[in-house]
């Protein structure tokens, strides 16, 4: 009787899709695991502490820009809680991904907010973000075909999105690391590229409990 | 003998009239295929009727009346999808919508992308108006650098502030339904781990034509069980479900109550008269009454309202008394004696008829066209039934002597059980009644809310409620209609309204959110162009490079496109979800409906009703119908009191100082019936008061018949009254068992009232010994 509003939905799908492209194909438990030995080898090399802190350098090549865009900052990764992404240079801004929302703030003011209760895709975005930074092989295996190699303490993964909406946004992801993820390279379908390098990684022994509330 | 000749003449004449009415009815309903008027608000005084509200409500109701929506799931999304697949497979070839193709999504962007420069969310407009350029630059750059940004269409350089993405997000807030894996998906707002797949089933024809729904419901039921077997919760909602439930209930009740009532009345007639003829003739008299009443009403008003038909037919039930009385009097007499009997009975039955018609006639006094119709209908019907008894019965009642049956003798002689209560007895009775009335008055509750009359099965209502909670869809029972001389004036007025409503914290679903007025689009375009011109150098300075402006941004900024017009919007499939709210031409110009969320409380509705804006009308169908019921209830109460007074006058004319003896039992029964209703926990409304008017007609007849022969040894009046009362109890009284609240109220009142009136009447007869 009163559900006239529902076809508003289709419009949001293509809009939210570029966010992560995670509108489909992300069924937990249904995806085949990565080749078992590769996944196992990567898993053996990784330390995945409950709290992880580190610094990042992001180099983004965007069509329409002659020079790459460089930014630096630090981040906090808390298993089961979320991700805090704090850009320091060229200017300060914060991005916080928790179970229930994605929130961007600048100078204490909210610039953008997406709630999981309204946009279920928020959870998927957050778990992708977490899996990439943490090197969660089984989480990634649900979304991507995994390929790669192991060499000494180090490892490399080439991630190709499984068929579905993710492919319309993301062409490929390269991941490199040892006991932590060190390097993430994103190749977007529209030609943009981002290289994220992580440094000074350290498990946090004195976490801030209120960080993701 | 004279009477016999006159009666034969009149019977022939009456036959001509009845046949003419028959032809008239056949012509009206059969050939012209006219239907009774069903809009309740047509019963309002003409100067209070608002065709605008009626048309708008109709248009909105039509749009959703054929749809059944089903939510399947309640667990994770994979389970919801699997269960939905099981549902769809069991549903077979019933047309159902549950997928959204990429092409569908593209139609949205095709419509809005070319005009995106003129589309601003409220938040973005406020920000562009007030924020300094540096702050805008911060925001634009943060989105550029962050790994996750808001929803965006196209390149950053084309829309650095992501104004189009923000506008689309704002649109998305209007619905909880999302597309996932190409399917319609809904997530519980309070429990985000619970997901549902949405399936829409569109039935052919109107939702109130239950035929189509009936055929499909068993298949939907099978599909529901298949989904439940897959471990899912299934919630169904939609007008056709309610229509089907109502007709199921009506059918069940016709089978049980209706059949029980018919059997009871036939058995009673057979016992009392050892013949079915009396029953057939009494039914004939009432059928003639109905036929003539319909014709007279149609000729008088040009139309017949459904409410008139329902109420009028009930009021006609009083005609039962005339036929029953005829046969009670005729019993034990030879055929030839019928004329002397008739000569004796005519004044009595005439008085009985006159008192009732007076009561009903009073309904015509208030300025309500609905009540006038009911008055004319029931008055004409009563006279016609009365005439049929008088002119036709003597010619059709058989030639033999109607032998008194043992049952009739026994029943009639029960009269002797009632003593005539003297002054003391009546005082005691009055005191006892007073105690009951006081107790009843203490518990009396009155509520005219139409929702009291809701009779759908609780399980269905519960599903509907849960569905509404999950969907958070706006209501269509209360809304605003906005009108304008032109489409653009209309949209501008709508924008003014929605701004006010959002200021009050209400959720709004309005056409102008999807189709802003051209004035707004042009203002927004100008605002965007100005701020972007300021922002661009700032961005270039901070990025330390020149921006290569996007092609679309460039073209739009320079050429200033005409913007989105109503014509283009309506022509696009993208407008489909809101098209029902575009009401088209209503009255002098185009109109739209603005729907609300969170306007359920009485205070909010009253505040909204008080809102005064140009071209804006508040429509509260529930409130208006409830108000109408309340006013009718109040009017009926006044009519009732006046009815008692006038009836007394008519009785006094025949019975002199004894008149009160015929009236008091019914008065007492009426008051006690209300007290008993209150004590049994009924919340009083129109459908409790209306039958009191019928009770007045019925009960006073009992009084008249008995007061004509008040002797305790006279069996005929008591037989007549008892048979009439028993028939009424078996027909109307059994409605107390109905599941439909209005009918139950009606039945319960008559059950108490008729029984008490019958019980009290002999007590009030004077003592002849």
């Amino acid at each position: 009787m009163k559900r006239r509003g529902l076809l508003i939905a289709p419009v949001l799908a293509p809009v939210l899709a570029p966010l992560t492209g995670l509108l489909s194909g992300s069924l937990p438990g249904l995806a085949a695991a990565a080749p078992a030995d590769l996944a196992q080898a990567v898993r053996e090399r990784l330390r995945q502490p409950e709290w992880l802190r580190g610094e990042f350098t992001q180099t983004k090549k965007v069509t329409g820009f002659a020079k790459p865009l460089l930014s630096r900052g630090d981040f906090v990764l808390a298993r089961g809680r979320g991700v805090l992404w704090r850009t320091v240079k060229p200017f300060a801004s914060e991005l916080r991904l928790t179970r229930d929302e994605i929130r961007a703030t600048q100078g204490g003011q909210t610039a953008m907010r997406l709630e999981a209760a309204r946009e279920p895709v928020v959870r998927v975005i957050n778990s992708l973000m977490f899996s990439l930074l943490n090197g969660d092989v089984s989480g990634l295996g649900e979304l991507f075909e995994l390929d790669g190699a192991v060499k000494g303490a180090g490892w490399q993964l080439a991630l190709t999105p499984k068929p579905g909406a993710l492919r319309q946004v993301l062409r490929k992801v390269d991941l490199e690391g040892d006991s932590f993820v060190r390097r993430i390279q994103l190749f977007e379908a529209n030609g943009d590229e981002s290289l994220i390098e992580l440094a000074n990684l350290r498990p946090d022994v004195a976490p801030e409990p209120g960080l993701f509330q | 003998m004279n009477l016999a000749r006159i009666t034969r003449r009149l019977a022939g004449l009456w036959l001509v009239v009845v046949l003419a009415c028959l032809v008239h009815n056949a012509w009206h309903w059969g050939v012209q295929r006219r239907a009774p008027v069903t809009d309740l608000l047509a019963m309002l005084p003409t100067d209070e009727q608002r065709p605008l509200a009626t048309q708008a409500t109709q248009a909105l109701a039509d749009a959703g009346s054929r749809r059944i929506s089903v939510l399947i799931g309640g667990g994770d999304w994979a389970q919801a999808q699997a269960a939905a697949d099981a549902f769809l497979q069991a549903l077979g070839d019933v047309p159902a919508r549950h997928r959204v193709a990429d092409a569908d999504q593209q139609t949205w962007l095709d419509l809005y992308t070319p005009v995106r420069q003129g589309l601003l969310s409220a938040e973005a407009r406020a920000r562009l108006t007030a924020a300094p350029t540096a702050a805008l630059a911060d925001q634009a750059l943060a989105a550029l650098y962050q790994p996750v940004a808001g929803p965006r269409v196209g390149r950053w350089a084309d829309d650095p502030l992501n104004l189009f993405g923000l506008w689309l997000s704002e649109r998305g807030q209007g619905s909880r339904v999302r597309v996932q894996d190409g399917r319609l998906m809904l997530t519980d707002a309070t429990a985000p781990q619970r997901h549902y797949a949405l399936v829409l089933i569109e039935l052919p024809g109107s939702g109130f034509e239950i035929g189509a729904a009936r055929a499909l419901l068993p298949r939907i039921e099978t599909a529901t069980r298949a989904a439940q077997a897959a471990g899912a919760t299934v919630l169904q909602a939609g007008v056709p479900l309610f229509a089907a439930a109502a007709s199921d209930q009506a059918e069940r009740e016709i089978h049980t109550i209706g059949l029980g009532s018919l059997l009871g009345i036939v058995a009673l007639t057979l016992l009392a008269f050892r013949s079915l003829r009396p029953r057939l003739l009494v039914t004939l008299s009432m059928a003639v009454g109905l036929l003539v009443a319909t014709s007279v009403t149609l000729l008088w008003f040009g139309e017949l309202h459904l409410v008139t038909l329902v109420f009028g037919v009930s009021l006609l039930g009083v005609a039962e008394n005339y036929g029953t009385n005829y046969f009670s009097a005729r019993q034990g007499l030879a055929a030839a004696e019928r004329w002397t009997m008739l000569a004796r009975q005519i004044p009595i039955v005439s008085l009985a008829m006159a008192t009732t018609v007076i009561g009903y006639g009073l309904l015509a006094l208030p300025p309500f066209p609905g009540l006038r119709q009911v008055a004319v209908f029931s008055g004409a019907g009563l006279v016609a039934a009365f005439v049929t008894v008088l002119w036709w019965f003597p010619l059709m009642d058989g030639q033999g002597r109607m032998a008194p049956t043992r049952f009739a003798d026994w029943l009639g002689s029960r009269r002797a059980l009632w003593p005539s209560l003297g002054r003391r007895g009546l005082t005691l009775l009055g005191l006892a009644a007073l105690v009951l009335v006081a107790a009843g008055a203490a518990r009396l509750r009155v509520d005219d809310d139409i929702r009291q009359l809701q009779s759908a099965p609780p399980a269905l209502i519960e599903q509907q409620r849960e569905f509404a909670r999950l969907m958070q869809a706006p209501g269509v029972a209360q809304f605003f209609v906005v009108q304008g001389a032109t489409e653009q004036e209309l949209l501008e007025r709508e924008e003014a309204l929605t701004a006010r409503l959002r200021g009050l914290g209400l959720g709004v679903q309005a056409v102008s959110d999807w189709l802003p007025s051209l004035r707004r689009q042009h203002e927004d375009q100008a605002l965007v162009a100005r701020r972007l011109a300021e922002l661009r150098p700032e961005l270039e300075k901070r990025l330390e490079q020149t921006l290569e402006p996007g092609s679309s941004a460039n073209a739009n900024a320079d050429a200033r496109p005409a913007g989105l017009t109503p014509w283009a919007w309506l022509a696009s499939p993208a407008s489909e979800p809101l098209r029902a709210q575009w009401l088209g031409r209503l009255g002098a110009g185009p109109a739209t409906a603005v729907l609300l969320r969170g306007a359920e409380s009485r205070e909010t509705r009253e505040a909204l009703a008080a809102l005064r804006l140009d071209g804006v009308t508040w429509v509260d169908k529930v409130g208006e119908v409830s108000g109408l019921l309340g006013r009718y209830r109040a009017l009926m109460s006044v009519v009732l009191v006046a009815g008692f007074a006038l009836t007394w006058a008519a009785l006094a004319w025949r019975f002199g100082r004894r008149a009160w003896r015929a009236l008091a039992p019914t008065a007492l029964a009426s008051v006690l019936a209300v007290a008993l209703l209150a004590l049994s926990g009924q919340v009083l409304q129109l459908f409790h008061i209306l039958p009191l008017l019928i009770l007045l007609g019925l009960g006073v007849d009992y009084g008249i018949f008995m007061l004509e022969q008040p002797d305790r040894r006279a069996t005929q009046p008591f037989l007549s009254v008892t048979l009439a009362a028993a028939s009424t109890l078996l027909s109307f009284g059994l409605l107390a068992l109905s599941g439909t609240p209005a009918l139950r109220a009606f039945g319960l009142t008559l059950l108490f009232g008729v029984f008490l009136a019958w019980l009290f009447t002999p007590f009030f007869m004077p003592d002849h010994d």
Side-chain angles (χ1 to χ4, degrees):
Chain A
M1 255 186 311
K2 307 168 185 169
R3 55 214 61 95
R4 216 149 280 120
L6 68 93
L7 287 174
I8 293 161
V11 78
L12 215 63
V15 176
L16 281 178
L19 224 55
T20 60
L22 283 179
L23 288 173
S24 71
S26 58
L27 306 181
L30 288 190
D37 43 350
L38 174 65
Q40 188 54 35
V42 173
R43 218 173 273 133
E44 280 166 7
R45 283 161 177 77
L46 275 169
R47 290 173 61 193
Q48 292 172 321
E50 195 154 347
W51 288 76
L52 180 70
R53 286 175 183 275
E55 283 151 24
F56 70 84
T57 310
Q58 178 186 273
T59 313
K60 203 167 177 180
K61 287 184 204 161
V62 182
T63 42
F65 288 85
K67 289 190 268 183
L69 305 165
L70 205 69
S71 59
R72 277 181 226 284
D74 57 7
F75 69 93
V76 183
L77 199 59
R79 197 192 301 155
R81 292 187 181 83
V83 180
L84 175 63
W85 193 261
R86 209 150 31 191
T87 307
V88 179
K89 278 185 176 171
F91 53 87
S93 74
E94 259 186 27
L95 185 71
R96 201 181 300 254
L97 299 91
T98 63
R99 260 184 78 75
D100 297 326
E101 64 173 14
I102 297 175
R103 187 200 289 261
T105 48
Q106 271 174 290
Q109 285 211 314
T110 302
M112 177 199 66
R113 185 159 175 238
L114 288 174
E115 288 169 275
R118 283 222 158 263
E119 308 299 342
V121 75
V122 164
R123 304 221 155 181
V124 191
I125 297 169
N126 292 356
S127 90
L128 173 72
M129 200 51 190
F130 186 86
S131 299
L132 284 175
L133 290 169
N134 198 36
D136 178 0
V137 191
S138 42
L140 293 172
E142 287 168 7
L143 304 169
F144 299 95
E145 303 288 354
L146 304 188
D147 197 5
V150 186
K151 198 169 156 193
W155 50 267
Q156 274 188 338
L157 285 177
L159 311 176
T160 317
K162 293 190 169 172
L166 184 53
R167 250 189 208 175
Q168 295 170 14
V169 194
L170 215 51
R171 198 153 47 85
K172 184 167 86 125
V173 181
D174 285 344
L175 221 54
E176 256 182 67
D178 40 46
S179 54
F180 297 111
V181 175
R182 302 283 177 185
R183 209 178 127 90
I184 305 168
Q185 204 164 2
L186 296 158
F187 299 90
E188 291 178 42
N190 63 10
D192 291 359
E193 287 178 29
S194 306
L195 171 65
I196 300 172
E197 289 163 300
L198 307 180
N200 199 11
L201 295 162
R202 56 203 186 275
D204 195 344
V205 283
E208 304 164 47
L211 208 54
F212 294 104
Q213 304 252 305
Chain B
M1 280 332 268
N2 206 13
L3 183 60
R5 218 174 41 243
I6 295 172
T7 301
R8 276 198 191 89
R9 286 243 177 88
L10 290 172
L13 206 64
W14 185 232
L15 183 65
V16 174
V17 173
V18 172
L19 285 178
C21 289
L22 196 64
V23 170
H24 177 226
N25 267 273
W27 166 256
H28 187 83
W29 308 115
V31 180
Q32 293 203 307
R33 300 207 162 276
R34 302 268 295 273
V37 183
T38 52
D39 180 28
L40 272 178
L41 296 184
M43 306 290 277
L44 271 171
T46 331
D47 57 333
E48 289 180 35
Q49 284 180 23
R50 298 190 297 161
L52 176 72
T54 304
Q55 286 173 42
T57 307
Q58 197 62 42
L60 277 178
D62 282 351
S65 71
R66 281 177 295 129
R67 182 178 286 171
I68 295 178
S69 307
V70 190
L71 284 175
I72 304 158
D76 66 37
W77 178 229
Q79 179 238 20
Q81 288 188 90
D85 286 336
F87 181 92
L88 289 163
Q89 195 176 3
L91 199 59
D93 59 355
V94 176
R97 245 169 77 192
H98 61 110
R99 292 200 164 275
V100 176
D102 289 348
D104 295 337
Q105 310 188 16
Q106 197 55 44
T107 58
W108 289 82
L109 292 178
D110 288 347
L111 177 69
Y112 287 115
T113 309
V115 294
R116 58 188 283 178
Q117 295 285 316
L119 303 175
L120 279 182
S121 67
E123 219 176 306
R125 188 177 303 115
R127 206 171 153 70
L128 283 184
T129 310
T133 306
L136 293 181
D138 287 348
Q139 190 194 353
L141 291 172
L144 181 61
Y145 282 104
Q146 271 157 1
V148 176
R152 174 182 293 280
V153 178
R155 304 183 331 153
W156 182 89
D158 292 350
D159 185 3
L161 292 166
N162 194 26
L163 299 171
F164 188 42
L166 291 174
W167 184 81
L168 288 168
S169 292
E170 192 186 59
R171 302 286 68 75
Q173 301 297 308
S175 167
R176 291 208 52 84
V177 180
R178 295 291 176 264
V179 177
Q180 183 134 342
D181 304 317
R183 279 174 188 266
L184 298 173
M185 178 184 83
L186 184 90
T187 303
D188 191 335
T190 53
Q193 73 281 7
R194 292 170 188 263
H195 302 282
Y196 295 86
L198 175 63
V199 176
L200 305 174
I201 300 167
E202 204 81 27
L203 303 180
S206 150
F208 298 100
E209 293 161 20
I210 37 93
R214 276 285 186 75
L216 284 185
L217 285 183
R219 296 174 68 178
I220 295 176
E221 212 39 57
T222 311
T224 299
R225 276 196 296 277
Q228 282 165 342
T233 305
V234 179
L235 297 171
Q236 300 176 19
V239 174
L241 297 172
F242 283 86
S247 85
D248 273 355
Q249 183 176 318
E251 203 160 279
R252 252 195 331 273
E253 288 180 359
I254 287 169
H255 284 151
T256 53
I257 300 179
L259 201 64
S261 157
L262 183 67
L263 286 178
I265 291 175
V266 167
L268 193 68
T269 314
L270 282 177
L271 270 174
F273 300 111
R274 212 180 290 137
S275 154
L276 262 186
R277 191 196 295 266
R279 172 48 43 194
L280 293 177
L281 287 183
V282 169
T283 309
L284 173 73
S285 72
M286 293 166 80
V288 168
L290 178 63
L291 194 70
V292 174
T294 309
S295 278
V296 170
T297 310
L298 283 175
L299 291 174
W300 194 311
F301 296 97
E303 56 168 36
L304 182 67
H305 200 286
L306 188 66
V307 172
T308 308
L309 204 56
V310 172
F311 287 2
V313 168
S314 331
L315 292 169
L316 264 184
V318 177
E320 163 91 30
N321 286 359
Y322 313 144
T324 310
N325 183 66
Y326 177 88
F327 282 102
S328 300
R330 168 82 165 77
Q331 195 167 37
L333 303 179
E337 291 175 89
R338 67 163 80 96
W339 300 111
T340 36
M341 179 277 286
L342 198 61
R344 204 172 57 240
Q345 289 292 332
I346 284 177
I348 306 176
V349 189
S350 302
L351 180 63
M353 193 269 296
T355 52
T356 311
V357 171
I358 287 171
Y360 292 179
L362 286 175
L363 287 175
L365 291 184
F368 282 72
L371 286 181
R372 289 206 174 134
Q373 265 198 32
V374 174
V376 168
F377 185 95
S378 49
L382 273 185
V383 172
F386 169 79
V387 164
T388 308
V389 170
L390 236 52
W391 296 346
W392 281 8
F393 277 27
L395 308 176
M396 300 170 79
D397 63 355
Q399 287 313 308
R401 171 173 182 272
M402 268 182 73
T405 65
R406 277 171 59 195
F407 176 76
D409 281 346
W410 174 83
L411 195 59
S413 63
R414 292 309 95 189
R415 166 70 180 95
L417 293 177
W418 272 261
S420 173
L421 291 185
R423 189 179 295 264
R424 261 180 58 195
L426 290 178
T427 312
L428 277 177
L429 183 63
L431 282 177
L434 207 62
V435 172
L436 258 179
V437 168
R443 300 197 43 187
L444 190 71
R445 282 187 300 145
V446 177
D447 188 350
D448 299 306
D449 195 326
I450 181 81
R451 282 167 289 200
Q452 293 272 345
L453 301 177
Q454 169 76 270
S455 71
L460 194 55
I461 294 176
E462 187 43 50
Q463 279 190 51
Q464 181 86 26
R465 188 171 296 143
E466 175 69 0
F467 187 92
R469 181 188 74 79
L470 287 168
M471 296 286 288
Q472 293 178 6
V476 291
Q478 294 108 18
F479 55 90
F480 282 101
V481 173
V482 185
Q483 290 171 292
T486 64
E487 287 161 344
Q488 289 308 319
E489 185 183 48
L490 162 66
L491 291 171
E492 285 168 27
R493 286 175 167 180
E494 208 189 69
E495 281 158 359
L497 171 67
T498 56
R500 281 284 286 275
L501 295 175
R502 292 200 164 99
L504 295 171
L506 291 165
V508 177
Q509 182 169 307
V511 169
S512 57
D513 288 338
W514 298 83
L515 169 65
S517 66
L518 283 177
R519 176 197 291 219
R520 165 151 292 176
Q521 291 185 59
H522 291 153
E523 281 170 5
D524 286 350
Q525 263 175 33
L527 177 64
V528 171
R530 179 165 66 79
R531 294 316 306 266
L532 278 187
E534 293 163 7
L535 182 62
R536 216 166 271 281
E538 175 78 12
L539 288 174
E540 291 180 343
K541 193 176 89 196
R542 296 221 205 154
L543 287 164
E544 296 170 349
Q545 56 185 313
T546 51
L547 282 175
E548 169 196 318
S551 49
S552 61
N554 210 7
N556 285 346
D558 295 346
R560 232 171 101 110
L564 184 61
T565 60
W567 182 83
W569 184 77
L570 285 169
S572 162
S575 64
E576 194 261 320
L578 276 98
R579 222 175 281 156
Q581 284 176 246
W582 183 272
L583 302 173
R585 263 192 116 67
L586 270 194
T592 58
V594 173
L595 306 186
L596 300 170
R597 257 180 295 268
E600 283 77 24
S601 79
R602 186 180 292 249
E603 298 74 41
T604 312
R605 281 189 276 139
E606 278 165 7
L608 293 175
L611 209 57
R612 295 281 171 270
L613 288 172
D614 281 343
V616 172
T617 315
W618 171 244
V619 177
D620 179 355
K621 187 88 172 176
V622 171
E624 281 180 52
V625 173
S626 302
L628 181 67
L629 288 180
R631 289 167 68 184
Y632 269 47
R633 178 180 53 74
L635 271 173
M636 282 288 194
S637 310
V638 174
V639 165
L640 196 62
V641 172
F644 269 98
L646 277 180
T647 305
W648 193 3
L651 290 172
W653 175 71
R654 179 165 175 88
F655 294 115
R657 293 181 59 185
R658 290 184 305 154
W660 68 275
R661 293 183 183 273
L663 191 61
T666 304
L668 194 58
S670 301
V671 176
L672 283 180
V674 174
L676 286 174
L677 287 171
L679 285 175
S680 64
Q682 293 272 311
V683 179
L684 294 201
Q685 27 94 333
L686 175 63
F687 295 93
H688 292 103
I689 302 303
L690 181 78
L692 292 179
L693 196 62
I694 304 173
L695 179 60
L696 172 61
L698 287 166
V700 168
D701 289 358
Y702 304 163
I704 292 170
F705 292 155
M706 300 215 32
L707 199 55
E708 285 293 335
Q709 290 172 272
D711 193 329
R712 281 172 66 187
R713 279 154 306 193
T715 58
Q716 182 263 319
F718 186 70
L719 174 66
S720 158
V721 164
T722 306
L723 288 178
S727 304
T728 305
L729 289 179
L730 281 171
S731 51
F732 288 136
L734 278 185
L735 290 179
L737 300 175
S738 169
T740 307
L743 292 181
R744 194 168 51 229
F746 205 92
L748 214 51
T749 309
L750 280 180
L751 190 68
F752 291 144
V754 168
F755 174 75
L756 290 175
W758 168 82
L759 181 71
F760 289 153
T761 302
F763 284 133
F764 280 76
M765 292 305 115
D767 196 350
H768 277 252
D769 302 334

